[in-house]
């Protein structure tokens, strides 16, 4: 019986994944496929935002994400999370992020991420934020981050508010 319950739970989980709204199209650059690029809405004038995406290397040689840039951000870096004296801290990846051949590297909350700083404007749910990734071999690759809700932990996890609220365009932040 335990096995059955597990199967049911797995099936439900898989279904939940499939039911997630489609996010940004895959972007192919040489041997790399970049998918699920997303970010979060910035609450109350926050000047930093994380960027998350999945990079798959279908080639036979390693490539490396060396930098990121975005028009909306005065400064953008590739970060990692690491334990420092028992405290989880993030820091820039000075040497870049290696994508080994045949491997998929996921940038996600709590791990590797793009750090967009000195933002020139807020991210709102539903926005698409263009960023440029630069790889050692694949070169510059333009992707856009689908902005999810403030508390989203994954792309499509925006609290199911896909329909835009009536736009009170008179309201300025
Ligand atoms: Cu960071």
């Amino acid at each position: 019986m335990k096995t059955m319950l597990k199967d049911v739970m797995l099936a439900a989980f898989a279904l939940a994944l499939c039911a997630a709204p489609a996010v940004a199209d895959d972007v192919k650059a040489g041997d790399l496929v970049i998918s699920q690029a997303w970010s979060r809405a910035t609450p109350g004038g926050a000047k930093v935002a994380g960027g998350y995406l999945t990079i798959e290397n279908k080639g036979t040689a390693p490539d490396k994400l060396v930098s990121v840039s975005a028009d909306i951000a005065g400064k953008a870096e590739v970060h990692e999370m690491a334990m420092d004296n028992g405290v989880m801290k993030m820091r820039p990846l000075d040497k870049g992020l290696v994508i080994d051949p045949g491997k998929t590297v996921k940038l996600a909350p709590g791990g590797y991420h793009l750090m967009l700083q000195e933002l020139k404007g807020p991210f709102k749910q539903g926005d698409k934020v263009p960023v440029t990734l630069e790889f050692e071999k694949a070169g510059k690759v333009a992707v856009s981050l689908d902005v999810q809700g403030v508390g989203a932990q994954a792309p499509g996890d925006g609290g199911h508010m896909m329909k835009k609220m009536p736009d009170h365009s008179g309201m300025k932040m």
Side-chain angles (χ1 to χ4, degrees):
M1 287 309 279
K2 268 196 175 139
T3 314
M4 258 186 74
L5 182 62
K6 202 174 146 201
D7 285 349
V8 169
M9 283 168 67
L10 277 175
F13 183 63
L15 199 67
L17 286 179
C18 294
V23 290
D25 291 336
D26 293 0
V27 176
K28 293 190 177 65
D31 290 328
L32 302 179
V33 180
I34 296 147
S35 59
Q36 306 262 306
W38 67 285
S39 184
R40 280 194 196 113
T42 50
K47 287 281 180 266
V48 296
Y52 312 104
L53 44 88
T54 301
I55 307 166
E56 184 181 359
N57 185 348
K58 289 176 179 278
T60 52
D63 203 342
K64 194 190 277 182
L65 174 60
V66 287
S67 67
V68 57
S69 60
D71 286 344
I72 197 164
K75 188 178 170 195
E77 295 171 329
V78 184
H79 278 190
E80 67 173 342
M81 303 291 284
M83 292 301 281
D84 179 10
N85 272 329
V87 182
M88 199 67 159
K89 284 187 177 164
M90 58 184 176
R91 62 183 179 211
L93 275 179
D94 299 330
K95 290 173 189 155
L97 176 58
V98 175
I99 321 292
D100 284 321
K103 290 281 188 321
T104 298
V105 174
K106 199 168 183 179
L107 282 71
Y112 296 121
H113 56 276
L114 308 177
M115 197 84 212
L116 307 175
Q117 296 157 85
E118 300 167 19
L119 297 184
K120 293 163 189 163
F123 289 10
K124 296 192 215 80
Q125 189 171 351
D127 283 356
K128 292 189 187 302
V129 177
V131 300
T132 303
L133 307 172
E134 188 165 1
F135 292 93
E136 205 170 65
K137 295 198 180 77
K140 289 191 174 176
V141 183
V143 299
S144 65
L145 308 175
D146 281 338
V147 179
Q148 312 287 328
V150 170
Q153 288 298 313
D157 179 22
H160 306 283
M161 287 178 60
M162 294 310 287
K163 287 255 188 309
K164 272 204 168 162
M165 299 291 284
D167 200 359
H168 301 287
S169 46
M171 279 176 62
K172 286 268 180 289
M173 290 190 71

